[in-house]
Amino acid sequence: GSRGEGPALRRTVARRPSPVSTPRRFGRLAAGTPVIMMRPHPVLAALSLFASTACGGSSNPIERAANQMSATQFIQPYDMPAVTLTDQDGEAFDLRLDTRDQITVLFFGYTSCPDICPITMASVARAVSLLEPEIRSHVGVLFVSLDANRDDPGRVKEWLSTFDPAFVGVTGTQEQLDQTLEGLGFVMPPYEIPAEGFYEVPHPASLFVFTPERLGRFGLGHETTPEQIAQDLTVLSQAWWQDGA
């Protein structure tokens, strides 16, 4: 039967090991910078390493930009997952192909989320509105719903329109969503889908920022202010297109 029928289902998983049998770790450039976590079990993703801070100047525009950004710079960038999902208009959306040549702000969530998702997307919408038009033309916002049971394209479209109709929202089968998460070093922690009633879906609580070569280089905590997000996107955009990254 469908996932909404019968007794509650439990998906039991753990963090996927890397090829060297250790969890993927996140770099932290400064004390207090949030790491990306999976809710409601943040301990599963709490492992991190402190990245070495650069001494002196850098000839790499991305490194120079990182020194001016509030975002976490990952020790090892993440490739955009090679997965095709379905966008809010019911069309195929290739995560790698359709995010080329732009800075992509990626957020995982679900439309029934009672707190972090709407707050984060409202912050991103406000941040985008603060960007200069030229900078804005280089930035794309991508929302990936992890709620395969409830979020169809129409529901995602209606939800996103309350923030910014230019944002792209995608969803897919549970297998496709698991593949997308695994491409970034995550798997879903355990959660239950009851036969009826509300339930929460665990998801990373932060934003991924991908550069135009489709590498996830930075993370922003959900509590980052719109002004900080806008400043980081401006710095990164200028580094990429003006400094020749």
Side-chain angles (χ1 to χ4, degrees):
S2 68
R3 297 184 67 190
E5 299 174 350
L9 303 178
R10 177 177 291 276
R11 306 179 63 247
T12 304
V13 292
R15 279 188 61 90
R16 180 175 66 89
S18 72
V20 293
S21 299
T22 57
R24 288 296 294 267
R25 292 175 167 84
F26 302 108
R28 297 179 67 185
L29 293 181
T33 302
V35 297
I36 295 173
M37 298 183 295
M38 298 291 280
R39 296 191 315 120
H41 302 287
V43 69
L44 294 176
L47 295 176
S48 65
L49 292 176
F50 285 90
S52 298
T53 55
C55 297
S58 171
S59 60
N60 185 327
I62 292 297
E63 292 302 320
R64 291 202 302 273
N67 292 334
Q68 304 174 57
M69 296 169 64
S70 61
T72 298
Q73 184 180 20
F74 299 130
I75 295 173
Q76 178 181 344
Y78 293 84
D79 288 318
M80 178 68 79
V83 180
T84 298
L85 300 175
T86 302
D87 71 14
Q88 69 263 47
D89 294 316
E91 302 293 332
F93 188 93
D94 186 315
L95 294 183
R96 286 192 57 79
L97 182 64
D98 293 327
T99 58
R100 67 192 185 283
D101 300 328
Q102 67 176 24
I103 292 171
T104 301
V105 180
L106 169 64
F107 184 69
F108 291 101
Y110 61 111
T111 67
S112 300
C113 177
D115 41 41
I116 288 179
C117 301
I119 292 171
T120 301
M121 294 306 293
S123 292
V124 173
R126 172 59 179 162
V128 167
S129 74
L130 296 174
L131 298 175
E132 294 294 331
E134 182 178 1
I135 302 297
R136 174 67 185 91
S137 69
H138 295 314
V139 175
V141 177
L142 178 62
F143 172 77
V144 179
S145 170
L146 296 180
D147 191 351
N149 191 54
R150 292 176 294 190
D151 283 347
D152 58 26
R155 182 165 179 167
V156 170
K157 183 172 186 175
E158 180 180 6
W159 188 78
L160 275 184
S161 68
T162 65
F163 305 106
D164 188 328
F167 290 175
V168 175
V170 295
T171 189
T173 65
Q174 193 61 58
E175 181 180 3
Q176 290 172 320
L177 297 175
D178 287 344
Q179 183 182 356
T180 302
L181 278 174
E182 288 169 5
L184 295 174
F186 285 106
V187 292
M188 295 284 278
Y191 75 101
E192 294 183 353
I193 299 177
E196 58 183 29
F198 176 78
Y199 60 90
E200 292 190 345
V201 176
H203 60 91
S206 297
L207 299 157
F208 288 95
V209 180
F210 288 77
T211 45
E213 81 272 50
R214 291 155 294 186
L215 288 178
R217 296 180 178 273
F218 300 97
L220 287 162
H222 65 272
E223 75 280 16
T224 308
T225 68
E227 291 75 19
Q228 288 174 315
I229 297 173
Q231 174 65 18
D232 281 2
L233 294 176
T234 297
V235 168
L236 186 56
S237 178
Q238 291 174 339
W240 188 269
W241 279 279
Q242 296 179 17
D243 293 354

PDB file of all heavy atoms in Angstrom, residues 23 77 95 126 189 237:
ATOM      1  N   PRO A  23      32.890   9.594   8.847  1.00  0.00           N
ATOM      2  CA  PRO A  23      31.782  10.456   8.439  1.00  0.00           C
ATOM      3  C   PRO A  23      32.286  11.687   7.694  1.00  0.00           C
ATOM      4  O   PRO A  23      33.387  12.175   7.937  1.00  0.00           O
ATOM      5  CB  PRO A  23      31.145  10.853   9.779  1.00  0.00           C
ATOM      6  CG  PRO A  23      31.610   9.823  10.742  1.00  0.00           C
ATOM      7  CD  PRO A  23      32.979   9.435  10.285  1.00  0.00           C
ATOM      8  N   PRO A  77      34.673  20.557  -0.908  1.00  0.00           N
ATOM      9  CA  PRO A  77      33.402  20.928  -1.552  1.00  0.00           C
ATOM     10  C   PRO A  77      32.580  19.699  -1.930  1.00  0.00           C
ATOM     11  O   PRO A  77      33.124  18.611  -2.140  1.00  0.00           O
ATOM     12  CB  PRO A  77      33.852  21.691  -2.812  1.00  0.00           C
ATOM     13  CG  PRO A  77      35.235  22.152  -2.510  1.00  0.00           C
ATOM     14  CD  PRO A  77      35.831  21.072  -1.651  1.00  0.00           C
ATOM     15  N   LEU A  95      19.400  18.411 -11.391  1.00  0.00           N
ATOM     16  CA  LEU A  95      20.087  19.223 -10.389  1.00  0.00           C
ATOM     17  C   LEU A  95      21.421  19.764 -10.899  1.00  0.00           C
ATOM     18  O   LEU A  95      21.794  20.901 -10.595  1.00  0.00           O
ATOM     19  CB  LEU A  95      20.304  18.426  -9.107  1.00  0.00           C
ATOM     20  CG  LEU A  95      19.056  18.027  -8.323  1.00  0.00           C
ATOM     21  CD1 LEU A  95      19.457  17.311  -7.030  1.00  0.00           C
ATOM     22  CD2 LEU A  95      18.194  19.242  -8.004  1.00  0.00           C
ATOM     23  N   ARG A 126      13.985  37.588   1.654  1.00  0.00           N
ATOM     24  CA  ARG A 126      14.364  38.946   2.035  1.00  0.00           C
ATOM     25  C   ARG A 126      15.782  39.254   1.562  1.00  0.00           C
ATOM     26  O   ARG A 126      16.051  40.343   1.035  1.00  0.00           O
ATOM     27  CB  ARG A 126      14.266  39.095   3.552  1.00  0.00           C
ATOM     28  CG  ARG A 126      14.807  40.409   4.110  1.00  0.00           C
ATOM     29  CD  ARG A 126      14.112  41.611   3.531  1.00  0.00           C
ATOM     30  NE  ARG A 126      14.642  42.849   4.100  1.00  0.00           N
ATOM     31  CZ  ARG A 126      14.486  44.053   3.550  1.00  0.00           C
ATOM     32  NH1 ARG A 126      13.787  44.183   2.415  1.00  0.00           N
ATOM     33  NH2 ARG A 126      14.997  45.111   4.129  1.00  0.00           N
ATOM     34  N   PRO A 189      17.729  10.324   9.091  1.00  0.00           N
ATOM     35  CA  PRO A 189      17.622   9.677  10.395  1.00  0.00           C
ATOM     36  C   PRO A 189      16.229   9.065  10.560  1.00  0.00           C
ATOM     37  O   PRO A 189      15.336   9.326   9.761  1.00  0.00           O
ATOM     38  CB  PRO A 189      17.860  10.827  11.370  1.00  0.00           C
ATOM     39  CG  PRO A 189      17.473  12.045  10.624  1.00  0.00           C
ATOM     40  CD  PRO A 189      17.790  11.781   9.181  1.00  0.00           C
ATOM     41  N   SER A 237      29.510  36.454  -5.530  1.00  0.00           N
ATOM     42  CA  SER A 237      29.228  36.781  -6.926  1.00  0.00           C
ATOM     43  C   SER A 237      30.305  37.680  -7.512  1.00  0.00           C
ATOM     44  O   SER A 237      30.786  37.462  -8.634  1.00  0.00           O
ATOM     45  CB  SER A 237      27.860  37.460  -7.031  1.00  0.00           C
ATOM     46  OG  SER A 237      27.581  37.838  -8.367  1.00  0.00           O
TER      47      SER A 237
END
